[in-house]
Amino acid sequence: MNLKNTAFKLACMAVLLCGYLNGHAQGKDGINWAKDGNSYYEVDQMGQITSITLPKRERKVIVSSTLLSPAGLGYALQVRSFQLSEDGKKALIYTNSKKVWRYDTRGDYWVADLTSNKLLQVGKDKPASSLMFAKFSPDASKVAYVSGHNLYVDDLSSGATKALTTDGTDRLINGTFDWVYEEEFDCRDGFRWSPDGSTIAYWQIDATKIKNFLMIDNIDSIYPFTIPVEYPKVGENPSNCKVGVVNVATAKTTWLAVPGDQVQNYIPRMDWIPGSSEIILQQLNREQNISKLYVANTKTGSINTIYTETDKAWIDAAPEFKWINENKEFILVSEKDGWRHHYRISRDGKKQTLITNGNYDVIENTLVDEKNGLLYFIASPANATQKYLYKTKLDGKGKPEMVTSAVFPGTHAYDISPNGLWAFHEYQSAAIRPMSEWLNMTTGNPFSMEGSITNKLSTIKLAKNGVEFFKIKTEDGTELDGWMKKPLNFDQTKKYPVVFYVYGEPASQTVTDTYGTGNNFLYAGDISKDGYITMSIENRGAPAPKGREFRKSIYKNIGVLNIKDQADAAKKIMEWPFVDKDRIAVWGWSGGGSSTLNLMFQYPQIYKTGISIAAVVNQLTYDNIYQERYMGSPLKSKEAYIKGSPLSYAKNLQGNLLYIHGTGDDNVHYQNAEMLINELVKYGKVFQLMSYPNRTHSISEGQGTRQHLSLTYTKFLQQNCPMGGK
């Protein structure tokens, strides 16, 4: 389950509110850089778009609140995000945004002409807040966008609107994606302008054969009604997917002749090769263990396979394609040598060069500095809980060099300017609140000592009862990372209850050296003051930078290997002199909810109390892209699904269980709760249940919901796993 986009991320980051930031409006790491890299843009406190020049951080208003005020409206537009045209003479403003599934990806768009000081609404004949992913043509004479699952283009000089597709319906989707593509492949923006602006490449998703899952609303009307969600469950066929190229002048679409069945293959990535009429795309087979890269010539109609990779487990959707060497090569991420590395691949795929050589994982790419022949990336070869900036030679002939100062242990993030001269640097650890500074990348020094991280660190006091990181081995000798936070006024002669926080699936880590690690965000009060030890263990299968084998050993083993790793660690922890083995509790949300149930049912002699939230009780109920990726094809065998599902072990419940779920969960459906209830009733197992009507996977909607959830969680834990040392 790609729960990283929903409740689990909410959980780990204490209900962090995320919003979609369109196109070039804001960089993925938060900085909206100008093309030359010597300045960046932001929306200031007055709601104006402002340019900040580095290193002196001189400010200049680019789009004033006056220009942002449409005639007759009486107030300025509230800028949700924005992008500037290539020549910097126009700004495309995104405002009045609304949520689509997870993120606010539809809204209204306006073009501010910075030369004529005029403001023009895009798609003004369309319903309010219905436009999606609007973007300038390369010459900024037009704006293309999606509305009502059709693709349109507005001519900015004449004001004319042209429909480029007309067959869009609620299930035939042009230029964007269905629920599962968004949830599992992170696909939302589904069209790309060609480099010359004459055509647009776009995805078409045909979800007409996807069955509806019907959620029921019992509270918003005297008579209940159903809410349909197109949702392809395990074993069901995916949506038909294809890529078309539409001529902007004629509105005629030519479909790319991508080999393979359009239903039994996915196309998670597609883009134009810069400066050409060619498109590169990634195709994954349904089992997601064969990845093929194709290059299609839109002039001749030819399409060629340039790269094929297979894996015994799965292959992830590629990051965006980064082209180098005058667009003769691109950078590709692969785990084919056992580590997550970056390669440079020739345009025809015949030449492959490993860039990041060594026994370590690249966590993420930060900047390709082609001018200086360098690749900047985040890695942490010595400690999988942390992140540091490294650089290496782009030709693959160098060794990785750590850029981050070793005097700052923890987690670092860098947003480096396109020219490689400046960077916004953020630092945090389990003991240190996030702090930031601006760096000169040439010297490695901050802009000023006053605003430096070094200076900021000198002013803070670290908590006395901080988080302790440790390592522990499973029965087969695999080393796992963990963290522990002891109670306030800890007395090593006493025995304390332990509350394990678990996730356990490939979507996210729980053991990271980041601020907030060790905090229990659902507990009403300070759990350390109430005498609990809190812990978390990072089992195999988590996306930790510990090599392919660590991550992918969970293939066809979710609900088995991860659960045994957790239990092996708990057995050893129970032997620690200050741990009360009779007061062991575990809790988790989403995939962590599933892990909680499996731990309670498979190892009842260890875990005496459990709180499971929004769990996948039966793996056959989850969506096909996520579950089939990690558990193999159910068309061949359902054995792994059944073996890994908590439902198969519910009869073994011995301890105290609280199960929580929202009935309006469109991600992990409430049917999982009812399946669990049925099975526990069947075997006479007494437990507690808390259902939240119409709440989604985050269980955050409605007045008082969060507070009630917190109180329910806390009361159950205190009653069934008594607090304090004994």
Side-chain angles (χ1 to χ4, degrees):
M1 67 216 82
N2 185 356
L3 307 171
K4 60 185 177 292
N5 288 332
T6 49
F8 179 65
K9 182 167 278 190
L10 283 168
C12 285
M13 304 190 73
V15 200
L16 175 67
L17 298 178
C18 299
Y20 175 80
L21 298 170
N22 180 287
H24 304 286
Q26 189 167 5
K28 290 181 179 179
D29 299 312
I31 302 297
N32 179 5
W33 292 102
K35 282 194 306 180
D36 64 6
N38 289 317
S39 62
Y40 66 95
Y41 305 102
E42 68 177 22
V43 179
D44 66 18
Q45 294 181 346
M46 301 291 291
Q48 305 175 119
I49 298 173
T50 304
S51 170
I52 298 95
T53 303
L54 300 176
K56 294 183 178 180
R57 306 199 69 204
E58 298 161 325
R59 306 177 70 89
K60 178 183 177 182
V61 174
I62 302 298
V63 184
S64 67
S65 55
T66 301
L67 181 52
L68 288 170
S69 301
L73 192 60
Y75 57 87
L77 299 173
Q78 185 175 0
V79 180
R80 177 67 184 84
S81 60
F82 64 93
Q83 59 175 286
L84 294 180
S85 59
E86 283 292 311
D87 61 9
K89 295 180 180 179
K90 295 174 183 172
L92 183 59
I93 311 298
Y94 180 47
T95 185
N96 196 26
S97 61
K98 305 294 182 184
K99 183 184 284 189
V100 178
W101 302 122
R102 306 285 170 252
Y103 303 100
D104 52 331
T105 53
R106 61 183 177 89
D108 296 330
Y109 286 87
W110 298 71
V111 172
D113 190 314
L114 310 186
T115 302
S116 65
N117 283 325
K118 292 183 178 179
L119 190 66
L120 170 71
Q121 185 174 7
V122 177
K124 58 185 177 183
D125 60 330
K126 304 295 183 293
S129 298
S130 73
L131 274 62
M132 304 176 74
F133 314 115
K135 51 184 84 76
F136 284 120
S137 60
D139 64 359
S141 65
K142 301 177 180 67
V143 172
Y145 54 89
V146 171
S147 180
H149 290 167
N150 277 312
L151 192 58
Y152 297 88
V153 64
D154 281 12
D155 186 289
L156 297 180
S157 59
S158 68
T161 298
K162 177 185 288 186
L164 300 181
T165 67
T166 57
D167 56 355
T169 66
D170 63 331
R171 293 300 185 90
L172 188 65
I173 304 166
N174 296 299
T176 184
F177 297 90
D178 61 358
W179 183 93
V180 73
Y181 256 82
E182 173 172 330
E183 183 71 15
E184 306 303 357
F185 285 137
D186 206 26
C187 292
R188 296 176 184 85
D189 179 357
F191 72 92
R192 310 282 187 267
W193 277 101
S194 64
D196 66 3
S198 65
T199 59
I200 292 175
Y202 68 97
W203 276 268
Q204 184 185 81
I205 304 293
D206 184 350
T208 54
K209 294 184 179 180
I210 301 299
K211 296 176 183 177
N212 278 333
F213 184 86
L214 300 178
M215 299 189 298
I216 188 164
D217 186 332
N218 281 307
I219 62 173
D220 288 332
S221 172
I222 297 300
Y223 287 92
F225 57 92
T226 58
I227 302 168
V229 179
E230 81 240 11
Y231 193 104
K233 288 182 178 283
V234 166
E236 296 289 325
N237 278 335
S239 300
N240 184 300
C241 174
K242 57 185 179 179
V243 173
V245 178
V246 61
N247 186 293
V248 174
T250 65
K252 179 182 177 182
T253 292
T254 301
W255 299 104
L256 299 186
V258 181
D261 189 279
Q262 293 177 351
V263 173
Q264 301 304 324
N265 291 283
Y266 302 109
I267 303 177
R269 300 293 181 262
M270 177 273 291
D271 210 342
W272 293 90
I273 297 176
S276 79
S277 58
E278 293 184 321
I279 288 172
I280 185 170
L281 62 85
Q282 180 191 31
Q283 180 195 68
L284 290 172
N285 66 327
R286 179 167 173 178
E287 290 188 61
Q288 300 170 68
N289 56 13
I290 301 175
S291 173
K292 294 182 179 180
L293 298 184
Y294 292 96
V295 169
N297 189 308
T298 61
K299 299 295 186 185
T300 66
S302 66
I303 184 165
N304 298 304
T305 309
I306 65 163
Y307 181 89
T308 301
E309 184 175 332
T310 61
D311 196 292
K312 293 179 181 179
W314 70 86
I315 297 174
D316 292 316
E320 67 176 289
F321 299 104
K322 174 64 180 178
W323 290 86
I324 57 175
N325 189 20
E326 298 178 336
N327 302 323
K328 297 174 184 175
E329 296 176 280
F330 62 94
I331 292 177
L332 182 70
V333 176
S334 173
E335 296 182 336
K336 61 186 178 181
D337 71 349
W339 301 93
R340 191 174 190 270
H341 280 314
H342 282 52
Y343 295 78
R344 52 192 299 166
I345 311 292
S346 63
R347 192 164 173 158
D348 60 8
K350 294 180 179 179
K351 183 181 178 182
Q352 303 176 21
T353 304
L354 174 61
I355 302 173
T356 53
N357 191 16
N359 293 338
Y360 63 90
D361 285 309
V362 173
I363 299 174
E364 61 189 63
N365 180 12
T366 303
L367 178 73
V368 177
D369 182 0
E370 192 169 7
K371 180 180 178 181
N372 294 304
L374 295 172
L375 173 71
Y376 288 92
F377 58 94
I378 299 295
S380 186
N383 188 329
T385 72
Q386 300 176 336
K387 293 181 179 181
Y388 300 95
L389 183 66
Y390 282 78
K391 65 181 179 181
T392 194
K393 291 183 178 179
L394 202 52
D395 61 10
K397 296 179 180 179
K399 293 183 178 180
E401 178 184 340
M402 186 169 166
V403 177
T404 304
S405 171
V407 301
F408 299 135
T411 298
H412 297 259
Y414 293 78
D415 197 329
I416 306 176
S417 62
N419 58 12
L421 295 180
W422 322 107
F424 184 69
H425 171 212
E426 295 177 285
Y427 169 57
Q428 61 178 304
S429 73
I432 298 170
R433 289 180 179 273
M435 54 183 61
S436 61
E437 65 184 355
W438 282 96
L439 292 176
N440 182 320
M441 291 296 289
T442 303
T443 64
N445 296 325
F447 284 6
S448 69
M449 285 309 298
E450 183 181 358
S452 70
I453 286 175
T454 300
N455 186 61
K456 293 173 182 177
L457 283 171
S458 67
T459 65
I460 66 172
K461 293 183 179 180
L462 302 182
K464 292 182 179 180
N465 66 320
V467 173
E468 301 174 32
F469 289 90
F470 61 88
K471 295 183 183 295
I472 198 163
K473 288 188 177 181
T474 62
E475 287 182 355
D476 65 6
T478 302
E479 188 175 74
L480 306 178
D481 289 309
W483 60 256
M484 168 175 58
K485 189 173 183 180
K486 294 174 182 174
L488 286 174
N489 303 314
F490 173 75
D491 184 343
Q492 63 181 2
T493 66
K494 294 183 178 181
K495 291 185 179 292
Y496 293 88
V498 174
V499 180
F500 284 100
Y501 174 57
V502 63
Y503 182 65
E505 297 202 14
S508 192
Q509 293 177 249
T510 62
V511 182
T512 58
D513 194 1
T514 54
Y515 194 74
T517 291
N519 293 345
N520 186 315
F521 65 90
L522 270 190
Y523 192 85
D526 187 333
I527 196 167
S528 62
K529 285 184 179 179
D530 286 343
Y532 289 100
I533 298 173
T534 51
M535 292 193 196
S536 191
I537 305 295
E538 201 83 275
N539 54 254
R540 280 173 285 187
K546 302 178 85 169
R548 177 203 171 280
E549 185 61 29
F550 182 90
R551 289 187 292 275
K552 292 186 176 179
S553 57
I554 202 172
Y555 183 61
K556 296 186 179 180
N557 267 311
I558 292 177
V560 179
L561 179 66
N562 54 332
I563 302 308
K564 189 176 188 307
D565 278 359
Q566 291 285 335
D568 281 359
K571 287 176 187 176
K572 292 190 174 182
I573 289 167
M574 288 166 66
E575 297 174 358
W576 295 354
F578 51 83
V579 169
D580 188 339
K581 62 183 178 58
D582 294 320
R583 290 186 289 167
I584 303 294
V586 60
W587 80 281
W589 197 315
S590 206
S594 308
S595 295
T596 297
L597 293 177
N598 266 321
L599 290 168
M600 290 288 292
F601 299 160
Q602 293 185 40
Y603 296 92
Q605 72 277 17
I606 298 176
Y607 302 94
K608 306 300 172 60
T609 298
I611 302 173
S612 171
I613 306 173
V616 174
V617 174
N618 180 350
Q619 291 187 21
L620 295 172
T621 68
Y622 201 63
D623 78 65
N624 52 9
I625 294 182
Y626 179 96
Q627 212 69 41
E628 293 178 14
R629 176 191 301 152
Y630 302 123
M631 296 299 285
S633 171
L635 305 179
K636 297 178 180 178
S637 173
K638 293 185 175 69
E639 182 182 354
Y641 290 82
I642 296 168
K643 190 176 180 181
S645 293
L647 192 66
S648 299
Y649 308 97
K651 61 185 177 183
N652 299 327
L653 175 65
Q654 294 179 23
N656 312 297
L657 174 64
L658 169 62
Y659 186 74
I660 301 170
H661 211 132
T663 69
D665 191 335
D666 66 327
N667 188 341
V668 179
H669 300 140
Y670 187 72
Q671 73 176 155
N672 284 274
E674 297 198 338
M675 287 180 175
L676 178 64
I677 294 166
N678 222 28
E679 196 73 0
L680 291 172
V681 169
K682 174 182 175 181
Y683 288 102
K685 301 297 181 179
V686 177
F687 68 103
Q688 291 192 29
L689 172 72
M690 183 63 230
S691 300
Y692 285 94
N694 286 4
R695 271 61 167 195
T696 66
H697 198 54
S698 64
I699 313 182
S700 58
E701 303 82 5
Q703 185 175 355
T705 298
R706 247 328 143 158
Q707 294 84 348
H708 187 273
L709 175 60
S710 178
L711 291 171
T712 301
Y713 171 98
T714 306
K715 184 176 181 180
F716 183 84
L717 181 63
Q718 291 176 349
Q719 288 179 342
N720 293 283
C721 185
M723 65 182 81
K726 292 182 180 179

